[in-house]
Amino acid sequence: VSNHRIFMMLRKGSELLRGDREVLLDLDTRTETQTTDSYGSLQNGGFIPPRYVSCNLLFASNAAVYFVLVWEVRSRSERKKAQLAQWREKFVQNLESVGLLMEKEETANEKKTIHFLKISAPWDVLVCYAEELCLRAPLQAQPHLDLNTSSRVLSRLCIPNAMMESVPNRPLDYYTCAFRKSKMNRFLGCGDQGTYFTNTQRHRVVYEILARTVYGKRKRAEVGVDRLVNEGAYTAAFPLHEGPFQLPKYGIHPDELNQRQVLYHYWARWCKWYKYQPLDHIREYFGEKVALYFAWLGFYTAWLLPAAVVGTLIFVSGVIKEICSSGVSYRMCPLCKTCQAWNMSEICTMAKLGYLFDHPGTVFFSVFMSFWAVTFLEYWKRKMATLAHHWDCMDFHEEEERPRPEFAAMAPTMEQNPVTGVKEPYFPEKTRLSRMFTGSMVIIMMVSALTSSAFVPIVGAAGTIANISSSIVNLGLILLMGRVYTALAEQLTKWEMHRTQTQYDNAFIFKVFIFQFVNFYSSPFYVAFFKGRFVGYPSNYGTLFGMRNEDCGPGGCLIELAEQLFIIMVGKQLINNIQEFIIPKVKAWRQKRTLAKVIGSKVSHEPRRWEEDYQLVECEGLFEEYLEMVLQFGFITIFVAAFPLAPLFALLNNWVEIRLDAHKFVCEYRRPVAERAQNIGVWFNILEALSHLSVIANAFLIAFTSDFLPRLLYQYKFDNDLNGYVNFTLAYAPLNYTEYPMCRYKAFRDNNGSYTLFYWELLAVRLGFIIAFEHVVFFVLRAIDWIVPDVPESLELKIKRERFLAKQALAENQEALLVSRGRGANPETPGTSSPGQ
């Protein structure tokens, strides 16, 4: 076959790309020039039937593999097998017509065959799609910026920085603008076609083509590789890793390591726990969306350090007196129907432990953490803007999104898209809104049931949450119900028929967060704000369903809340870390075992890159990672007045979390498709809501659960040294209470059970404190928001500089424009003057 055929094929592909929207979305009216049983691989200038393809064909043709499609012929009906084969055949044909290069590999034994379709894109295709996707192209190099604030501070103080490490092959930094094929000569490096586009950009272009290509009937929205995977035509679709992550056994210069090896050696290993993350390398390899997650996680972990230090100091500063020396002076009434009377001195140890969580320092720490949360989010916005510009995605806006594969498959009709003008699957808006309303009602009912399930066991038997064993059981139920409600949220979101993936993700995230918020926080909210509030008093105890309402334990509700927060937060973190460590390895072992059965005894056959990557675990996205951290953020802000050590445990967990996630992405996951993003999305809005909720929750926690205000009012009215305070807080049982005459209970009541004047004074102080606390903190937060700009001033200058360079690079006939402008400014001939002179 002559080289002329290759030239004509690529030329045809370039012509088709000019009208690719029509070609890729309506291929049924077009006649195919290629045979249906051939693949677009090149060898000596020709097309090769699949059975004759050699193993390293694309590499021999200087066309690296960017993407791999995998399928296995499984036990299905013959009709279904034929349908899937027909879809694959037409899909490959249409990919050929666009100009992609393909090569087929097979790994087989007597019982099973695994097919690999390796895909590459020639230069012409990359250039056309680079312009359509608005990939950024370099205009002018600039020196590397030090984006680490701590690094700059330590450098100015001349303090050695143990966290700094020189990572080889750091991506260069440029002023950039949107790529234009007609202006290619204005961009740096345009002469080297082999390195001009990064591998991440190349596989992003290939994925874009795969996502747009028709494989069946256009009117049925049978478009895109994602839907083919959902339908079972392909088992997997993924870009290839750039070689192994293990370091070579022989000595090698660091600059010769591939990108994956660099990330493993300088980031994913446990011994690098105290080093800065190589964010530029992460972005270069995994794309902006993954890099922004690790940037946020690292930034959040660094900000936890001061919060952990202050919280630990607050925790160890508590002191207690009087209770331990009370002897048998205070005989306390029973806490439940089956309980016995007890002496106050018996809870000496518990009282000492409780005072570690309940003393004036916790009020300061609550205010500190409220300021910390909002200041953290404000400075993250600055960091996010800096990274978005540094990674060329500040002005990134997602193009008009394609319909989700599931939406396309289930939508009943086709309507014209008002933006693109192309007919797309359509679901009636009225029906969708009614489904969303019904889904909202289901959410409300399930949240109510979840809240009740958290409260009812506590009310049913006094003291069940006060001990550690019941808290552990509660944690197990929380984790179990979390799985159930996540599955329910997924089904509800699918049923609501959201058109785009972004709409689907936002709706799903909102539902799951609502479920998990109630799931994890309902029990702590009950202990903090409801438990022990409706107990009544001896001879007049409150009841529910015939059972006496639960009272706080001997040490008070705050110590119970601290115990529960410790078990739920730390237990959840330990279980999640164990799961993240074990589950990917188990999944990878099963996948590897399946492929090993097919390869069999072919020991002479070295595993190839696509086979090794197929053995890895499919990357399931960042949803679970963000959800875990956002729930943790709630624990360290909403209930921090009861558990000052929460930031410390969060800090220790996150040091482990970063390395676990890094190891998963580098070593155990298939390489995800690189996605662009300029922020962390709806998660930031959730973090803001939690930070504001924490101010209100901590105000109520200090006012009504802590003993801070009762002690403060007692000091003001009676004794500054709190002498006699414990006796003052205890009331005597009414005379008609005959079970334990003259026993004491904690309340501000007289001998008849009526509230004393001090109770009403204290209630006024509590309400006044909540109003003052909330107003002062929110005022300071608004001031911080106003003082700290979202975009640093230095970044604004860089943006202006980049826009200036972009205008210069993309101006048409720049010299001619300058000459014409000069003539327009002085149109008269020399020696003449204008009328105004």
Side-chain angles (χ1 to χ4, degrees):
V1 182
S2 66
N3 288 333
H4 175 70
R5 185 176 180 184
I6 306 170
F7 172 76
M8 293 302 293
M9 186 275 291
L10 291 177
R11 180 179 176 183
K12 178 184 177 183
S14 299
E15 292 172 353
L16 288 169
L17 283 170
R18 298 193 192 111
D20 69 296
R21 193 171 300 277
E22 291 76 19
V23 171
L24 293 177
L25 296 180
D26 192 10
L27 290 168
D28 295 332
T29 60
R30 178 178 53 79
T31 57
E32 297 290 344
T33 59
Q34 313 298 341
T35 60
T36 60
D37 60 344
S38 64
Y39 291 79
S41 300
L42 294 176
Q43 184 182 44
N44 300 324
F47 286 92
I48 313 291
R51 60 183 181 276
Y52 298 121
V53 171
S54 64
C55 291
N56 297 309
L57 187 54
L58 288 177
F59 297 105
S61 304
N62 296 321
V65 177
Y66 306 139
F67 223 90
V68 174
L69 304 181
V70 187
W71 72 95
E72 305 173 15
V73 179
R74 298 180 176 177
S75 56
R76 291 187 175 94
S77 66
E78 293 300 322
R79 182 178 179 181
K80 183 64 175 178
K81 287 181 182 179
Q83 177 68 75
L84 297 180
Q86 183 181 354
W87 282 347
R88 285 194 296 266
E89 185 125 3
K90 185 166 186 180
F91 188 66
V92 170
Q93 271 188 332
N94 295 338
L95 293 178
E96 286 177 359
S97 68
V98 181
L100 292 185
L101 308 178
M102 283 163 283
E103 175 182 49
K104 185 180 176 184
E105 291 278 351
E106 292 182 356
T107 303
N109 63 6
E110 297 79 7
K111 297 181 179 180
K112 189 175 184 180
T113 301
I114 302 177
H115 306 267
F116 298 90
L117 183 64
K118 300 177 290 179
I119 304 175
S120 183
W123 173 254
D124 288 348
V125 174
L126 292 173
V127 168
C128 290
Y129 272 87
E131 183 166 352
E132 182 176 338
L133 297 177
C134 294
L135 297 185
R136 307 288 292 188
L139 293 170
Q140 178 180 311
Q142 59 175 326
H144 283 302
L145 298 176
D146 188 1
L147 301 178
N148 288 310
T149 305
S150 60
S151 174
R152 295 196 298 267
V153 171
L154 292 175
S155 177
R156 290 174 185 172
L157 297 176
C158 299
I159 299 175
N161 188 356
M163 297 177 289
M164 182 67 72
E165 184 176 27
S166 178
V167 182
N169 301 326
R170 180 176 179 180
L172 297 176
D173 196 10
Y174 299 99
Y175 290 108
T176 64
C177 71
F179 178 81
R180 293 290 181 271
K181 182 179 179 181
S182 59
K183 303 294 181 184
M184 191 181 298
N185 60 335
R186 305 282 180 89
F187 299 117
L188 296 181
C190 61
D192 189 352
Q193 296 183 3
T195 60
Y196 184 75
F197 295 110
T198 66
N199 283 339
T200 302
Q201 289 175 325
R202 292 167 188 259
H203 88 236
R204 186 183 293 162
V205 167
V206 172
Y207 176 75
E208 184 67 23
I209 298 173
L210 294 174
R212 295 182 180 188
T213 302
V214 171
Y215 64 84
K217 298 294 184 182
R218 177 67 187 90
K219 62 183 179 181
R220 297 178 185 173
E222 293 173 341
V223 180
V225 69
D226 291 331
R227 188 171 174 190
L228 278 172
V229 173
N230 290 341
E231 296 284 356
Y234 291 109
T235 309
F238 53 88
L240 286 181
H241 279 294
E242 295 178 15
F245 67 85
Q246 299 93 343
L247 299 180
K249 297 179 181 179
Y250 54 87
I252 186 173
H253 194 273
D255 290 338
E256 298 176 6
L257 298 174
N258 64 48
Q259 283 186 309
R260 194 182 182 195
Q261 290 170 332
V262 169
L263 287 174
Y264 173 72
H265 185 71
Y266 293 92
W267 178 48
R269 295 193 301 161
W270 290 100
C271 62
K272 301 296 181 180
W273 67 269
Y274 63 97
K275 297 293 186 181
Y276 291 130
Q277 297 186 90
L279 294 177
D280 286 339
H281 295 76
I282 299 171
R283 176 251 180 173
E284 184 80 4
Y285 194 75
F286 292 111
E288 290 81 10
K289 194 169 188 177
V290 172
L292 275 172
Y293 163 72
F294 283 104
W296 175 80
L297 182 56
F299 189 81
Y300 169 48
T301 303
W303 271 70
L304 281 173
L305 186 59
V309 171
V310 175
T312 304
L313 293 176
I314 293 297
F315 177 76
V316 300
S317 63
V319 190
I320 190 64
K321 52 186 177 181
E322 187 174 355
I323 290 180
C324 295
S325 60
S326 63
V328 295
S329 302
Y330 307 123
R331 183 171 173 78
M332 306 298 295
C333 299
L335 294 175
C336 64
K337 283 185 176 182
T338 59
C339 300
Q340 300 295 319
W342 51 283
N343 292 318
M344 178 71 78
S345 58
E346 296 175 6
I347 65 164
C348 175
T349 303
M350 188 66 70
K352 287 182 178 179
L353 184 61
Y355 202 76
L356 294 175
F357 300 94
D358 186 9
H359 58 88
T362 58
V363 180
F364 163 77
F365 191 52
S366 297
V367 178
F368 171 84
M369 287 303 295
S370 297
F371 293 155
W372 174 91
V374 174
T375 307
F376 157 70
L377 293 177
E378 287 299 318
Y379 275 91
W380 166 246
K381 283 195 285 188
R382 290 166 59 88
K383 178 77 170 181
M384 190 164 53
T386 302
L387 289 174
H389 177 265
H390 180 57
W391 292 338
D392 301 322
C393 54
M394 174 166 272
D395 297 326
F396 167 70
H397 297 286
E398 293 215 27
E399 60 178 289
E400 178 65 19
E401 287 189 77
R402 293 176 297 275
R404 294 172 52 247
E406 294 88 348
F407 177 86
M410 299 174 65
T413 60
M414 301 286 291
E415 294 286 342
Q416 186 172 357
N417 187 312
V419 177
T420 63
V422 177
K423 281 194 172 184
E424 291 183 351
Y426 176 77
F427 192 81
E429 189 70 14
K430 186 177 179 180
T431 306
R432 192 174 69 85
L433 290 176
S434 67
R435 289 191 176 192
M436 291 179 65
F437 177 77
T438 305
S440 301
M441 294 299 101
V442 173
I443 291 174
I444 293 173
M445 289 188 293
M446 297 305 295
V447 165
S448 301
L450 183 58
T451 306
S452 301
S453 67
F455 286 6
V456 168
I458 299 171
V459 177
T464 56
I465 261 199
N467 58 71
I468 295 176
S469 60
S470 63
S471 296
I472 294 175
V473 172
N474 188 32
L475 172 61
L477 292 174
I478 286 173
L479 296 176
L480 176 62
M481 296 307 296
R483 297 291 182 184
V484 173
Y485 287 118
T486 299
L488 175 63
E490 184 176 8
Q491 294 303 316
L492 282 175
T493 310
K494 287 181 179 178
W495 184 66
E496 289 173 354
M497 291 293 289
H498 295 279
R499 176 183 169 274
T500 65
Q501 191 64 40
T502 300
Q503 293 171 346
Y504 175 89
D505 290 342
N506 290 342
F508 178 65
I509 288 171
F510 176 74
K511 288 183 182 65
V512 173
F513 176 74
I514 291 295
F515 283 143
Q516 297 289 47
F517 180 89
V518 177
N519 190 28
F520 277 94
Y521 301 146
S522 57
S523 293
F525 264 104
Y526 168 78
V527 175
F529 303 119
F530 296 96
K531 188 176 182 180
R533 306 295 173 198
F534 312 102
V535 177
Y537 57 91
S539 75
N540 189 28
Y541 286 115
T543 59
L544 180 65
F545 303 117
M547 295 179 292
R548 177 176 159 181
N549 290 341
E550 187 183 18
D551 200 354
C552 294
C557 281
L558 203 67
I559 184 63
E560 293 186 26
L561 178 61
E563 288 176 356
Q564 191 171 105
L565 290 172
F566 172 80
I567 291 173
I568 293 177
M569 178 182 171
V570 177
K572 174 182 178 296
Q573 291 180 166
L574 287 174
I575 292 173
N576 281 347
N577 287 338
I578 292 172
Q579 287 178 335
E580 289 186 32
F581 180 77
I582 294 178
I583 291 178
K585 294 185 181 299
V586 172
K587 288 182 177 179
W589 174 79
R590 291 177 59 188
Q591 185 77 0
K592 194 170 185 177
R593 186 181 176 189
T594 301
L595 190 59
K597 289 181 180 178
V598 178
I599 296 175
S601 59
K602 301 175 184 177
V603 290
S604 61
H605 163 86
E606 278 289 328
R608 284 144 325 174
R609 179 80 270 135
W610 45 91
E611 293 176 343
E612 291 183 343
D613 284 8
Y614 185 54
Q615 295 175 19
L616 300 178
V617 181
E618 181 182 2
C619 180
E620 297 178 350
L622 297 168
F623 169 77
E624 291 291 342
E625 317 299 338
Y626 272 120
L627 180 63
E628 180 184 354
M629 291 297 105
V630 168
L631 289 173
Q632 180 197 92
F633 184 82
F635 277 113
I636 70 171
T637 54
I638 296 177
F639 301 107
V640 72
F643 191 35
L645 289 180
L648 175 63
F649 288 111
L651 175 66
L652 297 175
N653 173 80
N654 289 5
W655 272 334
V656 175
E657 183 72 24
I658 290 175
R659 301 307 146 185
L660 273 176
D661 290 345
H663 191 269
K664 285 192 303 185
F665 273 89
V666 174
C667 306
E668 295 169 354
Y669 281 168
R670 294 172 190 159
R671 189 176 183 179
V673 176
E675 296 182 62
R676 298 190 70 193
Q678 59 182 343
N679 51 50
I680 61 175
V682 71
W683 295 110
F684 184 81
N685 300 328
I686 294 175
L687 291 171
E688 278 192 318
L690 287 175
S691 68
H692 288 84
L693 176 62
S694 69
V695 176
I696 300 172
N698 280 296
F700 276 90
L701 200 62
I702 294 169
F704 286 97
T705 307
S706 168
D707 279 339
F708 170 72
L709 291 180
R711 283 195 296 262
L712 194 65
L713 185 59
Y714 183 86
Q715 285 178 311
Y716 174 75
K717 292 196 66 175
F718 301 106
D719 190 290
N720 194 51
D721 293 329
L722 291 175
N723 294 320
Y725 171 73
V726 173
N727 182 60
F728 183 77
T729 61
L730 300 178
Y732 286 95
L735 296 176
N736 61 352
Y737 184 67
T738 58
E739 295 183 32
Y740 294 94
M742 299 299 290
C743 68
R744 311 291 294 272
Y745 64 99
K746 192 171 183 180
F748 296 108
R749 294 178 183 267
D750 58 22
N751 291 342
N752 297 321
S754 301
Y755 287 118
T756 63
L757 178 61
F758 187 87
Y759 170 83
W760 298 109
E761 292 175 343
L762 178 60
L763 181 61
V765 169
R766 283 170 166 166
L767 295 176
F769 173 83
I770 291 172
I771 295 173
F773 184 94
E774 181 262 337
H775 277 70
V776 170
V777 172
F778 277 123
F779 173 79
V780 176
L781 298 184
R782 294 285 72 78
I784 293 173
D785 189 13
W786 177 72
I787 292 171
V788 180
D790 293 348
V791 179
E793 183 178 354
S794 59
L795 179 58
E796 290 182 348
L797 293 176
K798 286 185 63 181
I799 293 172
K800 292 177 181 177
R801 169 68 177 166
E802 190 167 61
R803 287 174 178 169
F804 170 75
L805 292 173
K807 288 180 180 179
Q808 281 190 322
L810 300 181
E812 295 282 354
N813 302 322
Q814 190 173 0
E815 293 80 5
L817 285 173
L818 292 174
V819 172
S820 64
R821 287 174 184 170
R823 290 176 179 174
N826 187 17
E828 289 80 8
T829 57
T832 63
S833 61
S834 63
Q837 291 177 333

